[in-house]
Amino acid sequence: MQLVNAVTEEQLKNVRQLYFSAFPLEERKPFELILEKRDAGYVEILAIESDEGDFLGLAISISCDDLLLLDYFAVMPQCRGQGVGTQALE
């Protein structure tokens, strides 16, 4: 398993779909704002992928100076309960 910067169209599509399905509307920031802040260097969008490149989940963090907030973290529904989240956090 690996965490990679989500930069390709496919990675961002997968992240976006899971983001919208995993978090209720009242907990979500506008995804375009997340992309804007990523481009400004404040946000990191990571795709959790298997060694074969299959999309397993997402991690979105915000940084400011020496602080880091893991703002969103989700695992694909079919991968939950299999240790994917634990491995990604380690």
Side-chain angles (χ1 to χ4, degrees):
M1 170 185 313
Q2 54 190 344
L3 277 78
V4 298
N5 280 317
V7 293
T8 69
E9 285 185 40
E10 183 71 17
Q11 288 168 329
L12 287 171
K13 181 187 86 156
N14 289 332
V15 166
R16 182 187 300 261
Q17 287 176 343
L18 179 57
Y19 177 74
F20 281 102
S21 68
F23 300 101
L25 177 62
E26 58 273 4
E27 292 181 11
R28 292 192 311 248
K29 295 173 181 66
F31 199 76
E32 286 66 33
L33 177 63
I34 293 172
L35 293 173
E36 179 183 311
K37 296 301 180 184
R38 178 204 57 183
D39 294 343
Y42 299 109
V43 170
E44 187 172 37
I45 304 171
L46 300 174
I48 304 167
E49 295 182 347
S50 70
D51 293 335
E52 294 77 30
D54 298 319
F55 179 74
L56 305 176
L58 65 83
I60 300 174
S61 63
I62 301 171
S63 61
C64 180
D65 299 324
D66 62 344
L67 300 175
L68 180 78
L69 169 69
L70 180 56
D71 203 18
Y72 296 99
F73 184 83
V75 173
M76 293 292 289
Q78 66 270 24
C79 300
R80 294 177 188 158
Q82 299 176 26
V84 171
T86 300
Q87 279 186 285
L89 288 172
E90 288 176 349

